[in-house]
Amino acid sequence: MDFEKQLKDDQAVVEVALEAFVRQFPGPEALGEAMGYSLLSGGKRIRPILVLEVCRLFGGASTQALPFACALEMIHTYSLIHDDLPCMDDDDLRRGRPTNHKVYGEAMAVLAGDGLLTAAFDIMSQGDLPARQMCRGVGCLARAAGPAGMVGGQVLDLAGEGRQLRAEEIDEIERMKTGALIEAAARLGAIAAGSTPEQEEAAASYARSLGRAFQIRDDILDVEGSEAELGKSVGSDQEREKSTLVALEGIPACEAKVQVLTREAVAQLQGYPGSEFLCTLAQRLALRTK
């Protein structure tokens, strides 16, 4: 397996598909421009790549999963637009560029996020999958993005500002705010492939450990990283008095936890032929600097 080649190939497939979907956006041109500004601003595309690779792992064609993958990335992007708003985290920089509201204004940024959220389910409906798999995929993504997942996690995150949270409270916020969409990515890939319940649960367990490691690494980079490498402001957690595991337990303990979680993720999939890419992805993300 050539990991770097496969990663670039997957990223290219996702970029082409997202660009095609942007051209289909109906409605006012100004709204489509604001939606496309954030959606096509780059990024690692980890979530849609997980969808494609889990689908491939369980015998599906990645093209089957592409509408699911793009819909998930649209919802992730909408969450970033809203997360950056002055009423939320009030950030000026995202992926090395001014945040959406800095370019288009707060009202248009809210609407661009709303547009991406709702268009995501339109995109999902364009997939070529049996109705049962399509319905399961829609339900999976809606739950992960909604009050029991990402949106609920953001509520808990805002409520926790200025308070000293316990480790289990921080874990719950990160499981909902970040982990829910990462787990959904793995489940969507498994659903698109028509996998067995056991296969889907193995992929979901992999993604849960991966998601926790990813967020802890993100918190470490908020302390140790540079704005130039990350393409966003650093030190923002401390400025907003947010509790993180890094602040609670220190960087060495968190680095060790990232490694433990990464080993747990890899162990979930190692028994499956063709899992090398996903195992290597987990290991690379544990060491990322941006």
Side-chain angles (χ1 to χ4, degrees):
M1 180 203 65
D2 186 336
F3 175 82
E4 293 297 339
K5 181 180 184 304
Q6 188 61 51
L7 180 67
K8 289 177 181 176
D9 287 349
D10 283 346
Q11 287 171 332
V13 166
V14 170
E15 292 298 335
V16 169
L18 289 174
E19 288 172 9
F21 285 134
V22 165
R23 289 195 293 271
Q24 295 177 25
F25 287 156
E29 183 179 342
L31 175 60
E33 180 184 330
M35 291 163 68
Y37 174 83
S38 292
L39 185 63
L40 302 179
S41 65
K44 293 178 285 291
R45 307 302 193 197
I46 296 302
R47 292 158 189 80
I49 287 171
L50 281 174
V51 179
L52 301 185
E53 288 295 337
V54 170
C55 181
R56 188 178 289 122
L57 174 66
F58 295 136
S62 58
T63 51
Q64 294 172 238
L66 198 53
F68 282 4
C70 290
L72 177 56
E73 187 68 2
M74 291 165 71
I75 285 182
H76 173 57
T77 302
Y78 119 73
S79 76
L80 298 180
I81 294 173
H82 283 192
D83 206 37
D84 290 335
L85 288 168
C87 62
M88 299 285 185
D89 286 351
D90 194 14
D91 280 320
D92 296 339
L93 198 66
R94 173 71 67 176
R95 293 174 176 168
R97 301 202 299 174
T99 47
N100 197 288
H101 69 274
K102 286 292 180 181
V103 178
Y104 297 100
E106 290 181 42
M108 184 60 82
V110 170
L111 294 169
D114 293 346
L116 286 167
L117 167 62
T118 48
F121 291 100
D122 182 18
I123 297 303
M124 289 189 88
S125 72
Q126 297 179 30
D128 187 20
L129 289 172
R132 183 171 181 277
Q133 285 167 260
M134 190 77 74
C135 288
R136 287 187 62 217
V138 168
C140 172
L141 185 53
R143 285 188 295 275
M150 183 183 68
V151 172
Q154 177 70 354
V155 170
L156 295 179
D157 190 32
L158 291 171
E161 289 184 3
R163 296 171 49 216
Q164 181 59 63
L165 302 181
R166 302 186 305 276
E168 55 268 29
E169 292 177 297
I170 296 170
D171 283 343
E172 181 71 356
I173 290 170
E174 294 182 348
R175 179 190 67 78
M176 295 172 69
K177 185 177 176 181
T178 302
L181 281 191
I182 291 177
E183 180 178 342
R187 288 191 181 277
L188 287 171
I191 290 168
S195 67
T196 66
E198 292 77 17
Q199 290 172 328
E200 182 179 334
E201 284 309 312
S205 294
Y206 160 87
R208 280 194 293 272
S209 294
L210 177 74
R212 288 189 65 204
F214 185 93
Q215 184 57 56
I216 295 170
R217 187 69 188 142
D218 218 44
D219 293 341
I220 292 170
L221 291 174
D222 190 65
V223 175
E224 292 190 331
S226 71
E227 186 174 291
E229 275 195 300
L230 295 173
K232 61 180 181 180
S233 302
V234 295
S236 53
D237 288 339
Q238 186 175 359
E239 285 178 15
R240 287 190 290 273
E241 299 182 24
K242 287 192 177 186
S243 292
T244 66
L245 284 180
V246 171
L248 192 65
E249 300 179 0
I251 287 177
C254 286
E255 291 278 17
K257 188 166 289 189
V258 168
Q259 295 306 317
V260 169
L261 289 165
T262 300
R263 288 194 291 272
E264 289 177 2
V266 168
Q268 295 298 324
L269 295 184
Q270 268 186 326
Y272 290 96
S275 64
E276 294 84 2
F277 177 90
L278 287 166
C279 292
T280 302
L281 179 66
Q283 293 160 347
R284 295 289 184 90
L285 290 175
L287 300 172
R288 68 192 173 93
T289 60
K290 59 182 179 179

